[in-house]
Amino acid sequence: MSETTLIVVRHGNTFNPGDVIRRVGARTDLPLTDQGREQGFRLGELLKTRGLTPDRVFTAPLLRTRETARQLLAALALPLTPEPLTFLTELDYGQDDGRPEEEVELRLGIVEARAAIRPESSLEELRQAGRAALKRWDRETVLPAGWAQLAPEVPGLRAAWRDFGDRLLRKCPGRTVVAVTSNGIARFAGALLPEPPADGLKLATGAMGLLIHDGDAWQLREWNTRP
């Protein structure tokens, strides 16, 4: 049986230099910047150079993922129509969705430090607590206390990736498939692996990861590759 290839892509940039960086989740449907569109196109060129021609392309319904898929396909000169998949939609960060990142850090820091807040605690100390919580999320997939509402979704995301992988093996055996999503969802693609990485799988904007099923199991060949 030939190998089945899954290419997981994170959408391109949605902020220009000098923009206020915001927490972009399911509620914040931003378009790509010019640089973001270029990132999508260059990913397509990279796939072409490596002979990775997709047979199907799936995206989240969000604009930034759909635009990335279109740019990728344009570089490959493929007449495929991207197919929307709801489970690829970025997480909903609740009251933090769409807010400036500094505000998010402060709010999360207040929640993290609530039991230890002292009258003399500075705003910078609270922001540092928030940054530390976000780093644990990025590196270890540990949800900040301020995002406790997302806890029930995490097992479901892992199950959704496993179900997606099973469907690819049934319907697209031996083929190459691209899934364009956001970092909050891509990090759980490790659920496909026999031994998921303990620290999750972070993807930079405009980056990709490569998973191969050799007939026995999914294997992670590379992750966070940029052109």
Side-chain angles (χ1 to χ4, degrees):
M1 180 179 177
S2 57
E3 295 179 332
T4 301
T5 302
L6 172 60
I7 302 164
V8 181
V9 170
R10 182 180 176 185
H11 63 78
N13 285 348
T14 53
F15 296 105
N16 287 305
D19 285 350
V20 174
I21 304 301
R22 293 184 280 153
R23 174 60 47 167
V24 180
R27 303 184 191 187
T28 310
D29 199 7
L30 298 179
L32 297 179
T33 62
D34 289 343
Q35 184 186 37
R37 286 187 286 274
E38 181 183 356
Q39 286 175 314
F41 194 86
R42 291 179 63 199
L43 272 173
E45 290 181 320
L46 177 63
L47 297 185
K48 185 175 182 178
T49 299
R50 294 172 59 172
L52 293 168
T53 303
D55 298 285
R56 298 178 73 176
V57 175
F58 296 93
T59 78
L62 296 170
L63 182 58
R64 55 190 180 270
T65 56
R66 291 187 285 116
E67 285 188 338
T68 300
R70 284 198 295 269
Q71 291 297 317
L72 183 149
L73 288 169
L76 288 161
L78 285 177
L80 295 177
T81 300
E83 305 171 56
L85 271 184
T86 302
F87 101 88
L88 294 174
T89 305
E90 177 62 297
L91 294 167
D92 183 341
Y93 294 108
Q95 63 185 297
D96 292 325
D97 213 314
R99 304 302 303 165
E101 197 70 6
E102 284 194 356
E103 291 184 16
V104 175
E105 290 171 353
L106 179 57
R107 193 192 73 82
L108 293 179
I110 291 171
V111 176
E112 292 287 329
R114 185 169 288 159
I117 288 180
R118 309 179 310 278
E120 63 272 21
S121 293
S122 68
L123 290 180
E124 183 55 30
E125 286 176 321
L126 295 175
R127 286 198 181 93
Q128 287 176 359
R131 290 188 200 111
L134 288 171
K135 285 182 180 178
R136 286 193 297 273
W137 168 239
D138 282 339
R139 296 174 181 173
E140 305 166 38
T141 324
V142 175
L143 279 169
W147 289 346
Q149 79 279 1
L150 294 175
E153 294 187 38
V154 170
L157 283 171
R158 294 192 172 101
W161 274 110
R162 288 191 290 267
D163 180 65
F164 181 55
D166 289 344
R167 281 186 288 147
L168 294 185
L169 296 178
R170 291 195 309 270
K171 298 183 178 182
C172 307
R175 296 182 180 274
T176 298
V177 173
V178 170
V180 186
T181 185
S182 302
N183 184 53
I185 305 301
R187 70 175 64 239
F188 293 103
L192 292 168
L193 304 172
E195 295 185 12
D199 57 354
L201 295 169
K202 180 176 173 60
L203 270 185
T205 54
M208 58 167 266
L210 185 64
L211 294 100
I212 303 289
H213 195 283
D214 60 4
D216 293 320
W218 288 101
Q219 300 176 11
L220 182 65
R221 293 286 175 86
E222 63 184 270
W223 196 258
N224 205 31
T225 301
R226 271 176 156 173

